[in-house]
């Protein structure tokens, strides 16, 4: 694994921003709950763990597996549900928790699929957003950081399944 990693967002910077997002969610969902945090495996697991604890709004945690990436750095363009939800989201407030929005293909597909299940509301929280790469428009309601078009790893994000456990978000070159 001889690769060049440069810290782009430190663990501390990420933590501060997630605390802010938690407060923002609490304001938006005041008096409501439980909110369903619908986590997209596997990249969003670190973000979820911190976000869920940064908010005081009652939350339930559900996992969903989606894959649109092969083993490389670019999307295959084909989205697959690899693990579906075990519960109904009908009538519930749902926040999709995703690691990064890149082309937008994954989330526009997922939003379409989940809207048919009639949630009370459906929002998206993404730790990272690469707006320059968008192929499909997606409204991301809670964005941790907007970043330039660089391939990043760490804090849950992988390259061919490696680097997910790095505490910082790093540029891989
Ligand atoms: P999209 O469908 O192109 O928006 O792809 C979103 C998914 O691509 C994310 O959930 C990540 O798994 C993956 N992805 C996109 N950009 C990066 C990156 O810079 N590093 C690691 N994974 C990425
Ligand atoms: Mg992912």
């Amino acid at each position: 694994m001889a690769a060049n990693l440069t810290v782009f967002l430190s663990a501390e910077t990420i933590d501060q921003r997630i605390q802010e997002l938690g407060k923002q969610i609490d304001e938006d969902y005041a008096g409501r709950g439980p909110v369903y945090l619908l986590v997209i495996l596997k990249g969003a697991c670190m973000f979820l763990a911190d976000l869920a604890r940064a908010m005081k709004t009652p939350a339930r945690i559900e996992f969903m597996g989606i894959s649109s990436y092969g083993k490389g750095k670019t999307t295959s363009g084909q989205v697959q549900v690899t693990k579906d939800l075990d519960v109904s989201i009908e009538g519930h407030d749902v926040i999709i928790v995703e690691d990064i929005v890149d082309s937008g293909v994954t989330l526009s597909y997922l939003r379409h699929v989940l809207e048919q299940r009639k949630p009370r509301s459906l929002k998206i929280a993404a730790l990272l957003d690469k707006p320059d790469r968008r192929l499909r428009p997606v409204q991301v309601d809670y964005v941790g950081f907007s970043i330039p078009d660089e391939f990043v790893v760490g804090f849950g994000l992988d390259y061919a399944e490696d680097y997910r456990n790095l505490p910082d978000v790093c540029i891989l070159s």
Side-chain angles (χ1 to χ4, degrees):
M1 283 211 301
N4 194 2
L5 296 169
T6 315
V7 174
F8 181 68
L9 298 167
S10 71
E12 195 190 342
T13 303
I14 297 167
D15 180 58
Q16 282 170 3
R17 182 67 187 127
I18 295 178
Q19 298 306 319
E20 290 173 6
L21 290 178
K23 289 203 180 78
Q24 202 184 325
I25 289 173
D26 286 342
E27 283 170 21
D28 294 351
Y29 292 86
R32 309 225 316 239
V35 172
Y36 280 65
L37 298 177
L38 203 169
V39 187
I40 311 302
L41 295 170
K42 306 171 197 168
C45 61
M46 311 285 178
F47 180 37
L48 173 268
D50 288 352
L51 184 66
R53 290 177 295 173
M55 52 192 269
K56 296 195 176 75
T57 307
R60 292 184 183 172
I61 297 171
E62 298 293 339
F63 294 97
M64 199 163 176
I66 297 275
S67 104
S68 73
Y69 262 59
K71 284 182 177 158
K73 288 185 181 178
T74 52
T75 179
S76 66
Q78 293 220 334
V79 186
Q80 249 185 310
V81 174
T82 53
K83 183 204 176 298
D84 205 343
L85 291 173
D86 317 309
V87 295
S88 165
I89 55 167
E90 190 173 338
H92 293 292
D93 290 313
V94 175
I95 303 176
I96 300 171
V97 180
E98 176 60 307
D99 51 3
I100 185 166
V101 192
D102 186 35
S103 68
V105 170
T106 307
L107 280 175
S108 60
Y109 169 81
L110 191 60
R111 188 187 268 282
H112 172 75
V113 167
L114 294 177
E115 254 155 18
Q116 291 171 342
R117 301 183 187 181
K118 301 187 173 56
R120 178 182 178 189
S121 67
L122 183 60
K123 288 193 182 186
I124 296 175
L127 178 67
L128 304 173
D129 184 12
K130 285 191 211 170
D132 297 347
R133 304 247 314 162
R134 204 69 95 247
L135 296 175
R136 302 267 173 83
V138 191
Q139 190 194 327
V140 188
D141 304 278
Y142 304 102
V143 178
F145 302 90
S146 260
I147 67 167
D149 181 11
E150 299 275 3
F151 197 84
V152 290
V153 295
F155 204 83
L157 291 120
D158 73 307
Y159 174 59
E161 296 301 326
D162 287 323
Y163 309 113
R164 290 192 197 275
N165 66 322
L166 295 177
D168 312 297
V169 169
C170 301
I171 292 175
L172 176 72
S173 50

